[in-house]
Amino acid sequence: MSQKTGFVAIVGRPNVGKSTLLNRILGQKLSITSRKPQTTRHQILGIKTEEDIQVIYVDTPGMHLHQEKAINRYMNKAATTAVKDVDLVVMVVDRMRWTEEDDMVLRAISQQRAPVVLVVNKVDFIKEKDELLPYLQEVAGRFNFEQIVPISAKTGNNVERLERLIESYIPESQHFYPEDQITDRSSRFLAAELVREKIMRQLGDELPYAMTVEIEEFVHNGGLIDISALILVERPSQKAIVIGDGGHRIKQIGQEARKDMEVMFDCKVMLKLWVKVKANWSDDERALRSLGYHDLD
């Protein structure tokens, strides 16, 4: 039986639901999500193998206009490089809201040769359903999209139709990954991302965007994994926010992250968290490289 394998880049501005879509397609949590923009900072491969078809999805950071800091430039570059040499680009937009950043994304992907499918996400939030068709007709005039597919990544509505469409663009090729592998990322990376997700969800509008997580220890001891994670912020006031009164907040972050880790790694987890101030790390390219933000040149 001939096999098919191909790469699909999922792109869009921040907070349109790219990671939620990837998690829905994979049937499990891989990319972290929150309501805050710029939750995804790295390219993450999500691999789905069904019988003879292997689709390798590239989840990307949201492309955004403001690039004042090195980390913002890194995220935009991670997103734009993801669309090179893929078999299909899936551009995700947020229901009836086309913005200047959507235009920027479209300009970036229009310079590539891959076909583009437009996904209009979060249609479950549209109250007046008869407004959807005129909007789809309007956005169809912005670019020569292969197709436009309205979906809800959160509920799964129409996602299966999108998957069948994606599969029609996958070329014949031997599979690149074993059929049970779902990502190219290490367990250490996934653990750090889960801690960062819980911080972003806990802090809401108090969130210091200049925050990252570094795994200092990841040790298997039989049926237990010992994980030590360092949360880096840029100012002492941010450290106090993350820790919370009497350590309440960091304790809750740790409890929620540990639960998700135990599901992801299918074993017991002992998680220890520390918070450290590292001034200006998000605009220091050397510091970013040491923290795993590569390819800034």
Side-chain angles (χ1 to χ4, degrees):
M1 181 169 59
S2 64
Q3 294 184 330
K4 291 185 172 185
T5 303
F7 286 84
V8 176
I10 304 176
V11 302
R13 63 177 167 84
N15 225 27
V16 292
K18 299 181 297 296
S19 296
T20 302
L21 175 58
L22 177 62
N23 291 341
R24 170 66 64 177
I25 288 171
L26 295 177
Q28 59 183 291
K29 182 174 188 143
L30 177 63
S31 287
I32 66 170
T33 61
S34 82
R35 294 183 178 179
K36 306 299 289 184
Q38 299 174 26
T39 301
T40 301
R41 290 180 178 170
H42 303 267
Q43 281 186 22
I44 298 174
L45 292 192
I47 305 156
K48 182 166 184 177
T49 307
E50 283 188 325
E51 298 179 354
D52 61 327
I53 298 180
Q54 183 171 90
V55 185
I56 303 160
Y57 293 93
V58 189
D59 188 21
T60 63
M63 296 187 200
H64 48 287
L65 291 167
H66 304 294
Q67 302 185 50
E68 294 91 348
K69 291 190 173 185
I71 191 168
N72 300 110
R73 295 192 294 275
Y74 164 84
M75 287 191 286
N76 270 6
K77 184 168 183 180
T80 53
T81 56
V83 301
K84 294 178 180 176
D85 303 320
V86 296
D87 299 289
L88 180 69
V89 175
V90 173
M91 178 179 172
V92 184
V93 295
D94 184 347
R95 51 196 148 152
M96 315 284 284
R97 295 170 52 218
W98 189 281
T99 70
E100 196 178 350
E101 286 183 322
D102 292 316
D103 282 328
M104 185 189 75
V105 174
L106 194 54
R107 283 196 300 274
I109 62 178
S110 65
Q111 296 169 18
Q112 309 302 321
R113 285 180 293 185
V116 181
V117 168
L118 182 69
V119 167
V120 179
N121 190 24
K122 306 183 186 180
V123 294
D124 48 316
F125 288 107
I126 300 174
K127 291 188 172 68
E128 302 295 331
K129 299 300 183 188
D130 57 353
E131 294 177 357
L132 180 58
L133 184 57
Y135 177 72
L136 296 180
Q137 291 170 336
E138 180 214 319
V139 295
R142 293 179 180 270
F143 185 73
N144 186 25
F145 296 110
E146 296 285 311
Q147 283 200 42
I148 300 176
V149 185
I151 69 161
S152 168
K154 185 177 180 181
T155 67
N157 181 35
N158 226 23
V159 172
E160 192 171 328
R161 180 193 155 203
L162 173 63
E163 283 195 77
R164 300 292 83 81
L165 174 62
I166 288 168
E167 288 171 4
S168 70
Y169 289 90
I170 303 303
E172 285 197 8
S173 170
Q174 293 296 307
H175 292 175
F176 297 160
Y177 295 95
E179 64 178 35
D180 58 347
Q181 186 171 343
I182 66 156
T183 186
D184 65 328
R185 290 292 188 168
S186 69
S187 296
R188 293 175 74 103
F189 172 86
L190 297 173
E193 288 287 272
L194 285 175
V195 174
R196 194 164 64 82
E197 176 188 68
K198 303 312 173 191
I199 296 169
M200 297 189 79
R201 290 188 170 192
Q202 274 282 321
L203 296 182
D205 291 335
E206 295 178 276
L207 171 74
Y209 274 108
M211 171 275 298
T212 196
V213 178
E214 184 177 12
I215 301 297
E216 295 195 309
E217 181 183 51
F218 192 104
V219 180
H220 280 271
N221 291 316
L224 177 73
I225 303 177
D226 277 309
I227 300 174
S228 298
L230 182 64
I231 300 165
L232 290 177
V233 293
E234 294 194 325
R235 296 192 298 275
S237 59
Q238 295 170 342
K239 179 176 179 178
I241 290 170
V242 174
I243 292 173
D245 292 337
H248 168 75
R249 183 166 274 152
I250 195 168
K251 182 178 179 182
Q252 195 164 356
I253 289 165
Q255 288 172 342
E256 293 180 5
R258 180 181 54 79
K259 286 178 186 174
D260 274 10
M261 288 177 190
E262 290 183 340
V263 172
M264 180 172 279
F265 303 134
D266 195 24
C267 69
K268 286 286 185 185
V269 170
M270 180 73 71
L271 175 63
K272 297 182 284 290
L273 300 178
W274 284 272
V275 187
K276 179 181 176 182
V277 177
K278 186 179 179 73
N280 206 35
W281 72 265
S282 67
D283 202 25
D284 181 336
E285 296 194 357
R286 182 181 294 177
L288 284 166
R289 284 193 186 89
S290 73
L291 292 165
Y293 296 86
H294 301 298
D295 302 323
L296 282 161
D297 294 325

